[in-house]
PDB file of all heavy atoms in Angstrom:
ATOM      1  N   ILE C  86     -86.433 208.622 230.658  1.00 98.00           N
ATOM      2  CA  ILE C  86     -87.279 208.887 229.488  1.00 98.00           C
ATOM      3  C   ILE C  86     -88.200 210.059 229.771  1.00 98.00           C
ATOM      4  O   ILE C  86     -88.490 210.862 228.871  1.00 98.00           O
ATOM      5  CB  ILE C  86     -88.094 207.625 229.120  1.00 98.00           C
ATOM      6  CG1 ILE C  86     -87.172 206.549 228.535  1.00 98.00           C
ATOM      7  CG2 ILE C  86     -89.205 207.968 228.134  1.00 98.00           C
ATOM      8  CD1 ILE C  86     -86.538 206.912 227.213  1.00 98.00           C
ATOM      9  N   GLY C  87     -88.667 210.198 231.009  1.00 97.00           N
ATOM     10  CA  GLY C  87     -89.491 211.344 231.364  1.00 97.00           C
ATOM     11  C   GLY C  87     -88.796 212.671 231.153  1.00 97.00           C
ATOM     12  O   GLY C  87     -89.460 213.720 231.068  1.00 97.00           O
ATOM     13  N   ASN C  88     -87.476 212.638 231.045  1.00 97.00           N
ATOM     14  CA  ASN C  88     -86.720 213.854 230.778  1.00 97.00           C
ATOM     15  C   ASN C  88     -86.689 214.230 229.293  1.00 97.00           C
ATOM     16  O   ASN C  88     -85.937 215.131 228.902  1.00 97.00           O
ATOM     17  CB  ASN C  88     -85.315 213.729 231.343  1.00 97.00           C
ATOM     18  CG  ASN C  88     -85.270 214.030 232.818  1.00 97.00           C
ATOM     19  OD1 ASN C  88     -85.258 215.185 233.225  1.00 97.00           O
ATOM     20  ND2 ASN C  88     -85.307 212.985 233.622  1.00 97.00           N
ATOM     21  N   CYS C  89     -87.560 213.598 228.499  1.00 97.00           N
ATOM     22  CA  CYS C  89     -87.773 214.103 227.149  1.00 97.00           C
ATOM     23  C   CYS C  89     -88.489 215.450 227.208  1.00 97.00           C
ATOM     24  O   CYS C  89     -88.691 216.095 226.166  1.00 97.00           O
ATOM     25  CB  CYS C  89     -88.548 213.102 226.291  1.00 97.00           C
ATOM     26  SG  CYS C  89     -90.218 212.749 226.860  1.00 97.00           S
ATOM     27  N   THR C  90     -88.822 215.917 228.414  1.00 97.00           N
ATOM     28  CA  THR C  90     -89.250 217.308 228.558  1.00 97.00           C
ATOM     29  C   THR C  90     -88.185 218.263 228.000  1.00 97.00           C
ATOM     30  O   THR C  90     -88.507 219.397 227.616  1.00 97.00           O
ATOM     31  CB  THR C  90     -89.504 217.649 230.040  1.00 97.00           C
ATOM     32  OG1 THR C  90     -88.354 217.295 230.819  1.00 97.00           O
ATOM     33  CG2 THR C  90     -90.722 216.886 230.568  1.00 97.00           C
ATOM     34  N   SER C  91     -86.941 217.788 227.942  1.00 97.00           N
ATOM     35  CA  SER C  91     -85.865 218.607 227.378  1.00 97.00           C
ATOM     36  C   SER C  91     -86.110 218.940 225.921  1.00 97.00           C
ATOM     37  O   SER C  91     -85.625 219.961 225.411  1.00 97.00           O
ATOM     38  CB  SER C  91     -84.518 217.901 227.534  1.00 97.00           C
ATOM     39  OG  SER C  91     -84.537 216.632 226.897  1.00 97.00           O
ATOM     40  N   PHE C  92     -86.900 218.102 225.222  1.00 97.00           N
ATOM     41  CA  PHE C  92     -87.167 218.360 223.806  1.00 97.00           C
ATOM     42  C   PHE C  92     -88.019 219.619 223.612  1.00 97.00           C
ATOM     43  O   PHE C  92     -88.082 220.159 222.497  1.00 97.00           O
ATOM     44  CB  PHE C  92     -87.881 217.167 223.166  1.00 97.00           C
ATOM     45  CG  PHE C  92     -87.131 215.853 223.248  1.00 97.00           C
ATOM     46  CD1 PHE C  92     -87.773 214.654 222.974  1.00 97.00           C
ATOM     47  CD2 PHE C  92     -85.783 215.807 223.601  1.00 97.00           C
ATOM     48  CE1 PHE C  92     -87.100 213.452 223.036  1.00 97.00           C
ATOM     49  CE2 PHE C  92     -85.100 214.602 223.671  1.00 97.00           C
ATOM     50  CZ  PHE C  92     -85.763 213.417 223.396  1.00 97.00           C
ATOM     51  N   LEU C  93     -88.664 220.064 224.672  1.00 97.00           N
ATOM     52  CA  LEU C  93     -89.435 221.303 224.571  1.00 97.00           C
ATOM     53  C   LEU C  93     -88.544 222.489 224.237  1.00 97.00           C
ATOM     54  O   LEU C  93     -89.037 223.539 223.792  1.00 97.00           O
ATOM     55  CB  LEU C  93     -90.191 221.575 225.880  1.00 97.00           C
ATOM     56  CG  LEU C  93     -91.239 220.529 226.303  1.00 97.00           C
ATOM     57  CD1 LEU C  93     -91.852 220.900 227.635  1.00 97.00           C
ATOM     58  CD2 LEU C  93     -92.313 220.348 225.232  1.00 97.00           C
ATOM     59  N   ALA C  94     -87.246 222.342 224.411  1.00 97.00           N
ATOM     60  CA  ALA C  94     -86.306 223.419 224.069  1.00 97.00           C
ATOM     61  C   ALA C  94     -86.313 223.732 222.582  1.00 97.00           C
ATOM     62  O   ALA C  94     -85.868 224.810 222.173  1.00 97.00           O
ATOM     63  CB  ALA C  94     -84.893 223.050 224.513  1.00 97.00           C
ATOM     64  N   TRP C  95     -86.808 222.816 221.761  1.00 97.00           N
ATOM     65  CA  TRP C  95     -86.848 223.061 220.320  1.00 97.00           C
ATOM     66  C   TRP C  95     -88.127 223.789 219.890  1.00 97.00           C
ATOM     67  O   TRP C  95     -88.229 224.212 218.753  1.00 97.00           O
ATOM     68  CB  TRP C  95     -86.717 221.737 219.559  1.00 97.00           C
ATOM     69  CG  TRP C  95     -85.310 221.323 219.299  1.00 97.00           C
ATOM     70  CD1 TRP C  95     -84.576 221.561 218.179  1.00 97.00           C
ATOM     71  CD2 TRP C  95     -84.438 220.605 220.186  1.00 97.00           C
ATOM     72  NE1 TRP C  95     -83.308 221.028 218.300  1.00 97.00           N
ATOM     73  CE2 TRP C  95     -83.193 220.437 219.529  1.00 97.00           C
ATOM     74  CE3 TRP C  95     -84.574 220.080 221.473  1.00 97.00           C
ATOM     75  CZ2 TRP C  95     -82.127 219.774 220.106  1.00 97.00           C
ATOM     76  CZ3 TRP C  95     -83.507 219.428 222.051  1.00 97.00           C
ATOM     77  CH2 TRP C  95     -82.297 219.281 221.371  1.00 97.00           C
ATOM     78  N   LEU C  96     -89.100 223.921 220.790  1.00 97.00           N
ATOM     79  CA  LEU C  96     -90.305 224.675 220.469  1.00 97.00           C
ATOM     80  C   LEU C  96     -90.022 226.177 220.540  1.00 97.00           C
ATOM     81  O   LEU C  96     -89.104 226.619 221.243  1.00 97.00           O
ATOM     82  CB  LEU C  96     -91.422 224.339 221.447  1.00 97.00           C
ATOM     83  CG  LEU C  96     -92.033 222.931 221.404  1.00 97.00           C
ATOM     84  CD1 LEU C  96     -93.056 222.791 222.524  1.00 97.00           C
ATOM     85  CD2 LEU C  96     -92.659 222.647 220.056  1.00 97.00           C
ATOM     86  N   ASP C  97     -90.839 226.952 219.849  1.00 97.00           N
ATOM     87  CA  ASP C  97     -90.791 228.390 220.031  1.00 97.00           C
ATOM     88  C   ASP C  97     -90.981 228.676 221.527  1.00 97.00           C
ATOM     89  O   ASP C  97     -91.846 228.071 222.191  1.00 97.00           O
ATOM     90  CB  ASP C  97     -91.914 229.049 219.234  1.00 97.00           C
ATOM     91  CG  ASP C  97     -91.993 230.532 219.460  1.00 97.00           C
ATOM     92  OD1 ASP C  97     -92.688 230.932 220.422  1.00 97.00           O
ATOM     93  OD2 ASP C  97     -91.366 231.292 218.702  1.00 97.00           O
ATOM     94  N   PRO C  98     -90.169 229.548 222.117  1.00 96.00           N
ATOM     95  CA  PRO C  98     -90.246 229.788 223.565  1.00 96.00           C
ATOM     96  C   PRO C  98     -91.641 230.134 224.067  1.00 96.00           C
ATOM     97  O   PRO C  98     -92.044 229.686 225.149  1.00 96.00           O
ATOM     98  CB  PRO C  98     -89.269 230.932 223.792  1.00 96.00           C
ATOM     99  CG  PRO C  98     -88.239 230.752 222.701  1.00 96.00           C
ATOM    100  CD  PRO C  98     -89.026 230.268 221.520  1.00 96.00           C
ATOM    101  N   ASP C  99     -92.389 230.927 223.319  1.00 97.00           N
ATOM    102  CA  ASP C  99     -93.742 231.291 223.745  1.00 97.00           C
ATOM    103  C   ASP C  99     -94.661 230.071 223.741  1.00 97.00           C
ATOM    104  O   ASP C  99     -95.504 229.901 224.639  1.00 97.00           O
ATOM    105  CB  ASP C  99     -94.317 232.388 222.869  1.00 97.00           C
ATOM    106  CG  ASP C  99     -93.616 233.727 223.070  1.00 97.00           C
ATOM    107  OD1 ASP C  99     -93.026 233.933 224.147  1.00 97.00           O
ATOM    108  OD2 ASP C  99     -93.660 234.557 222.140  1.00 97.00           O
ATOM    109  N   VAL C 100     -94.513 229.224 222.719  1.00 97.00           N
ATOM    110  CA  VAL C 100     -95.318 228.003 222.636  1.00 97.00           C
ATOM    111  C   VAL C 100     -94.940 227.053 223.782  1.00 97.00           C
ATOM    112  O   VAL C 100     -95.814 226.480 224.442  1.00 97.00           O
ATOM    113  CB  VAL C 100     -95.128 227.319 221.273  1.00 97.00           C
ATOM    114  CG1 VAL C 100     -95.843 225.976 221.232  1.00 97.00           C
ATOM    115  CG2 VAL C 100     -95.621 228.225 220.147  1.00 97.00           C
ATOM    116  N   ALA C 101     -93.635 226.893 224.004  1.00 97.00           N
ATOM    117  CA  ALA C 101     -93.175 226.022 225.087  1.00 97.00           C
ATOM    118  C   ALA C 101     -93.691 226.514 226.436  1.00 97.00           C
ATOM    119  O   ALA C 101     -94.083 225.706 227.302  1.00 97.00           O
ATOM    120  CB  ALA C 101     -91.651 225.959 225.088  1.00 97.00           C
ATOM    121  N   ALA C 102     -93.721 227.820 226.618  1.00 97.00           N
ATOM    122  CA  ALA C 102     -94.215 228.379 227.879  1.00 97.00           C
ATOM    123  C   ALA C 102     -95.688 228.023 228.087  1.00 97.00           C
ATOM    124  O   ALA C 102     -96.106 227.765 229.218  1.00 97.00           O
ATOM    125  CB  ALA C 102     -94.026 229.894 227.882  1.00 97.00           C
ATOM    126  N   GLN C 103     -96.445 227.974 227.001  1.00 97.00           N
ATOM    127  CA  GLN C 103     -97.846 227.590 227.110  1.00 97.00           C
ATOM    128  C   GLN C 103     -97.974 226.111 227.506  1.00 97.00           C
ATOM    129  O   GLN C 103     -98.848 225.746 228.287  1.00 97.00           O
ATOM    130  CB  GLN C 103     -98.565 227.840 225.790  1.00 97.00           C
ATOM    131  CG  GLN C 103     -98.690 229.311 225.420  1.00 97.00           C
ATOM    132  CD  GLN C 103     -99.278 229.497 224.032  1.00 97.00           C
ATOM    133  OE1 GLN C 103     -99.960 228.627 223.506  1.00 97.00           O
ATOM    134  NE2 GLN C 103     -99.001 230.645 223.431  1.00 97.00           N
ATOM    135  N   VAL C 104     -97.072 225.263 226.970  1.00 97.00           N
ATOM    136  CA  VAL C 104     -97.108 223.829 227.275  1.00 97.00           C
ATOM    137  C   VAL C 104     -96.884 223.578 228.759  1.00 97.00           C
ATOM    138  O   VAL C 104     -97.509 222.688 229.364  1.00 97.00           O
ATOM    139  CB  VAL C 104     -96.066 223.076 226.425  1.00 97.00           C
ATOM    140  CG1 VAL C 104     -95.964 221.608 226.862  1.00 97.00           C
ATOM    141  CG2 VAL C 104     -96.425 223.159 224.938  1.00 97.00           C
ATOM    142  N   VAL C 105     -95.989 224.351 229.380  1.00 97.00           N
ATOM    143  CA  VAL C 105     -95.645 224.128 230.787  1.00 97.00           C
ATOM    144  C   VAL C 105     -96.411 225.054 231.718  1.00 97.00           C
ATOM    145  O   VAL C 105     -96.141 225.079 232.926  1.00 97.00           O
ATOM    146  CB  VAL C 105     -94.125 224.271 231.012  1.00 97.00           C
ATOM    147  CG1 VAL C 105     -93.363 223.297 230.146  1.00 97.00           C
ATOM    148  CG2 VAL C 105     -93.658 225.702 230.769  1.00 97.00           C
ATOM    149  N   ALA C 106     -97.354 225.812 231.192  1.00 96.00           N
ATOM    150  CA  ALA C 106     -98.036 226.837 232.003  1.00 96.00           C
ATOM    151  C   ALA C 106     -98.718 226.236 233.236  1.00 96.00           C
ATOM    152  O   ALA C 106     -98.758 226.856 234.293  1.00 96.00           O
ATOM    153  CB  ALA C 106     -99.047 227.604 231.147  1.00 96.00           C
ATOM    154  N   GLY C 107     -99.256 225.046 233.097  1.00 91.00           N
ATOM    155  CA  GLY C 107     -99.932 224.396 234.219  1.00 91.00           C
ATOM    156  C   GLY C 107     -99.020 223.479 235.000  1.00 91.00           C
ATOM    157  O   GLY C 107     -99.491 222.667 235.799  1.00 91.00           O
ATOM    158  N   GLY C 108     -97.722 223.572 234.791  1.00 94.00           N
ATOM    159  CA  GLY C 108     -96.740 222.652 235.382  1.00 94.00           C
ATOM    160  C   GLY C 108     -96.122 221.795 234.298  1.00 94.00           C
ATOM    161  O   GLY C 108     -96.736 221.561 233.259  1.00 94.00           O
ATOM    162  N   THR C 109     -94.924 221.336 234.542  1.00 95.00           N
ATOM    163  CA  THR C 109     -94.233 220.502 233.555  1.00 95.00           C
ATOM    164  C   THR C 109     -94.985 219.199 233.342  1.00 95.00           C
ATOM    165  O   THR C 109     -95.198 218.439 234.301  1.00 95.00           O
ATOM    166  CB  THR C 109     -92.798 220.193 234.014  1.00 95.00           C
ATOM    167  OG1 THR C 109     -92.113 221.423 234.256  1.00 95.00           O
ATOM    168  CG2 THR C 109     -92.050 219.399 232.953  1.00 95.00           C
ATOM    169  N   PRO C 110     -95.425 218.906 232.120  1.00 96.00           N
ATOM    170  CA  PRO C 110     -96.173 217.658 231.914  1.00 96.00           C
ATOM    171  C   PRO C 110     -95.261 216.441 231.980  1.00 96.00           C
ATOM    172  O   PRO C 110     -94.081 216.507 231.631  1.00 96.00           O
ATOM    173  CB  PRO C 110     -96.744 217.829 230.501  1.00 96.00           C
ATOM    174  CG  PRO C 110     -95.772 218.744 229.820  1.00 96.00           C
ATOM    175  CD  PRO C 110     -95.267 219.684 230.873  1.00 96.00           C
ATOM    176  N   ARG C 111     -95.801 215.360 232.475  1.00 97.00           N
ATOM    177  CA  ARG C 111     -95.091 214.079 232.394  1.00 97.00           C
ATOM    178  C   ARG C 111     -95.142 213.624 230.938  1.00 97.00           C
ATOM    179  O   ARG C 111     -96.218 213.601 230.344  1.00 97.00           O
ATOM    180  CB  ARG C 111     -95.711 213.049 233.313  1.00 97.00           C
ATOM    181  CG  ARG C 111     -95.621 213.409 234.792  1.00 97.00           C
ATOM    182  CD  ARG C 111     -96.026 212.243 235.676  1.00 97.00           C
ATOM    183  NE  ARG C 111     -97.404 211.832 235.422  1.00 97.00           N
ATOM    184  CZ  ARG C 111     -98.455 212.285 236.098  1.00 97.00           C
ATOM    185  NH1 ARG C 111     -98.296 213.186 237.058  1.00 97.00           N
ATOM    186  NH2 ARG C 111     -99.663 211.840 235.830  1.00 97.00           N
ATOM    187  N   MET C 112     -93.976 213.250 230.398  1.00 97.00           N
ATOM    188  CA  MET C 112     -93.906 212.954 228.969  1.00 97.00           C
ATOM    189  C   MET C 112     -93.198 211.636 228.701  1.00 97.00           C
ATOM    190  O   MET C 112     -92.438 211.131 229.523  1.00 97.00           O
ATOM    191  CB  MET C 112     -93.188 214.094 228.230  1.00 97.00           C
ATOM    192  CG  MET C 112     -93.966 215.400 228.191  1.00 97.00           C
ATOM    193  SD  MET C 112     -93.038 216.758 227.440  1.00 97.00           S
ATOM    194  CE  MET C 112     -92.634 216.062 225.816  1.00 97.00           C
TER     195      MET C 112
END
Side-chain angles (χ1 to χ4, degrees):
I86 289 295
N88 278 280
C89 63
T90 53
S91 58
F92 301 166
L93 298 178
W95 273 265
L96 292 176
D97 176 272
D99 291 337
V100 174
Q103 293 174 23
V104 172
V105 302
T109 304
R111 296 190 299 267
M112 292 175 56

